[in-house]
């Protein structure tokens, strides 16, 4: 009998010791979670070089949506699996917020900054972006960088088929038929510099909407200065002199390696040329286009 009580006491001591680290973990988990709540809830404007700081009002729908997500990431309830097993919750202390790895550039195809803000503020439109850059260089942020905007739609880049979940969307106030202003591009590069430094986004991961959705989109237009951006470290560009392609080079395979979806090869070629050639956006795969594909492929 004494032996039985000894083992019972030993079991209780072990259980007690095991629960203390778990309680400490849960406390640290909750503390870190509260910190991240503050990060994703922040609506403070941040100054950028050569950019007018703009404050916009955030409607109650934004706040309501934000609290929905704050509640969901705090849930620690067990869940039933299909095999009848219930999941058990044990909080880890080793975590942080997921960070964006791509920046997708768009033009708004609308007539003004205010019109775009209104479009992104209506529930029925089901479209949004993290930032809008106006023609005069003003920058408006509409969503925290860590949250998922609805700007990319159905598209892919390489093996990534959910671009909205891995990217920041930047809309340029431009109807698609006009040149982009110097003030707008200057502000865009200031914003890109901040985002690239903050999240470690590779230069080659700064791409356009048409790159990720070649069958549906053609923005930003052929007037967008991709070369200027690349010269400043935001994107990649071809060498001034294009080397001839080696024998046996497969441009379709190279396009896929770069990131393009080539299921519709003509659309992929047009999207590539819209980004890297611009003076010719036809689906023709001529010698210049093949050489350009080879040059960009080598830089990936």
């Amino acid at each position: 009998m004494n032996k039985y009580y000894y083992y019972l006491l030993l079991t209780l001591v072990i259980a007690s010791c095991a629960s203390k680290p778990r309680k400490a973990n849960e406390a640290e988990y909750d503390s870190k979670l509260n910190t991240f709540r503050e990060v994703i809830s922040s609506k403070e404007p941040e100054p950028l070089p050569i950019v007018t700081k703009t404050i916009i009002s955030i409607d109650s729908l934004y706040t309501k949506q934000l609290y929905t997500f704050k509640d969901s990431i705090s849930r620690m309830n067990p869940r039933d699996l299909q095999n009848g097993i219930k999941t058990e919750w044990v909080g880890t202390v080793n975590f942080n917020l997921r960070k964006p790895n791509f920046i997708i550039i768009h033009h708004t195809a609308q007539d003004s900054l205010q019109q775009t803000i209104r479009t992104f503020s209506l529930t029925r439109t089901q479209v949004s972006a993290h930032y809008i850059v106006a023609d005069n260089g003003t920058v408006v942020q509409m969503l925290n960088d860590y949250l998922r905007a609805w700007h990319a739609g159905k598209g892919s880049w390489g093996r990534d088929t959910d671009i909205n979940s891995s990217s920041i969307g930047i809309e340029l106030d431009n109807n698609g038929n006009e040149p982009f202003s110097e003030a707008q591009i200057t502000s865009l590069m200031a914003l890109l510099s901040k985002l690239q430094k903050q999240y470690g986004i590779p230069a080659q991961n700064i791409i356009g909407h048409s790159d990720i959705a070649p069958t549906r989109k053609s923005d930003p237009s052929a007037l967008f200065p991709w070369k200027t951006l690349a010269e400043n470290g935001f994107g990649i560009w071809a060498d001034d002199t294009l080397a001839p392609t080696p024998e046996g080079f497969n441009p379709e395979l190279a396009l896929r390696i770069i990131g393009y979806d080539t299921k519709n090869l003509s659309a992929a070629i047009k999207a590539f040329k819209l980004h890297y050639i611009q003076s010719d956006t036809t689906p023709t795969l001529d010698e210049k286009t093949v050489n350009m594909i080879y040059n960009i492929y080598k830089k990936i």
Side-chain angles (χ1 to χ4, degrees):
M1 183 65 76
N2 289 339
K3 190 174 183 181
Y4 168 79
Y5 283 120
Y6 169 77
Y7 283 120
L8 178 61
L9 179 62
L10 181 62
T11 301
L12 291 173
V13 169
I14 292 173
S16 174
C17 291
S19 65
K20 287 179 182 178
R22 182 173 295 187
K23 286 181 180 178
N25 281 10
E26 296 296 342
E28 187 166 346
Y29 180 94
D30 290 339
S31 175
K32 293 186 75 170
L33 196 61
N34 285 331
T35 301
F36 292 136
R37 282 176 184 164
E38 294 175 6
V39 171
I40 66 171
S41 302
S42 175
K43 301 171 191 171
E44 292 298 317
E46 298 184 27
L48 298 173
I50 327 173
V51 177
T52 303
K53 183 165 60 176
T54 302
I55 301 174
I56 62 168
S57 60
I58 305 296
D59 61 26
S60 59
L61 284 176
Y62 179 94
T63 303
K64 183 178 179 181
Q65 181 93 327
L66 192 62
Y67 272 96
T68 300
F69 289 120
K70 287 168 66 177
D71 289 341
S72 67
I73 64 174
S74 303
R75 284 191 195 132
M76 296 180 281
N77 298 329
R79 299 180 181 180
D80 292 324
L81 303 181
Q82 289 183 348
N83 63 357
I85 297 294
K86 282 185 177 291
T87 63
E88 179 184 358
W89 176 266
V90 179
T92 180
V93 299
N94 302 314
F95 67 98
N96 57 8
L97 292 174
R98 296 185 180 188
K99 70 180 185 69
N101 192 44
F102 291 91
I103 295 174
I104 310 300
I105 298 175
H106 311 249
H107 68 240
T108 61
Q110 299 200 7
D111 296 323
S112 70
L113 173 66
Q114 291 307 319
Q115 183 184 7
T116 302
I117 290 175
R118 174 171 168 74
T119 298
F120 291 169
S121 301
L122 297 173
T123 305
R124 68 173 182 267
T125 64
Q126 297 289 284
V127 64
S128 59
H130 295 86
Y131 298 90
I132 309 169
V133 184
D135 185 67
N136 66 0
T138 298
V139 176
V140 174
Q141 182 171 7
M142 295 199 71
L143 189 66
N144 187 280
D145 296 342
Y146 289 105
L147 299 178
R148 185 180 186 272
W150 302 344
H151 62 95
K154 185 178 180 181
S156 64
W157 191 246
R159 294 180 180 273
D160 191 334
T161 58
D162 184 6
I163 300 296
N164 279 336
S165 293
S166 58
S167 67
I168 289 175
I170 300 177
E171 292 273 358
L172 303 179
D173 178 26
N174 184 290
N175 63 17
N177 298 312
E178 59 190 7
F180 296 84
S181 72
E182 183 177 347
Q184 188 175 46
I185 298 304
T186 299
S187 289
L188 171 63
M189 290 197 294
L191 178 59
L192 291 174
S193 178
K194 171 187 175 294
L195 296 174
Q196 197 176 43
K197 184 180 299 183
Q198 187 169 350
Y199 301 114
I201 297 173
Q204 64 265 30
N205 286 5
I206 299 174
I207 50 181
H209 199 184
S210 59
D211 293 314
I212 64 167
T215 60
R216 299 186 302 109
K217 296 296 179 179
S218 59
D219 62 301
S221 72
L223 299 172
F224 185 72
W226 284 113
K227 182 179 180 181
T228 299
L229 261 66
E231 288 171 345
N232 285 275
F234 311 118
I236 57 176
W237 196 255
D239 299 326
D240 292 335
T241 302
L242 298 180
T245 57
E247 186 177 349
F249 176 72
N250 185 331
E252 181 179 353
L253 178 58
L255 283 172
R256 283 207 303 273
I257 292 171
I258 292 168
Y260 289 93
D261 180 354
T262 60
K263 292 186 183 71
N264 184 327
L265 182 57
S266 293
I269 293 169
K270 287 177 68 175
F272 176 85
K273 293 169 80 169
L274 181 66
H275 189 136
Y276 293 104
I277 296 179
Q278 299 189 309
S279 59
D280 169 24
T281 58
T282 66
T284 304
L285 198 59
D286 55 18
E287 184 179 1
K288 178 181 178 181
T289 304
V290 173
N291 287 348
M292 183 70 80
I293 292 172
Y294 175 63
N295 197 273
I296 298 300
Y297 157 77
K298 289 195 302 178
K299 295 177 183 291
I300 298 300

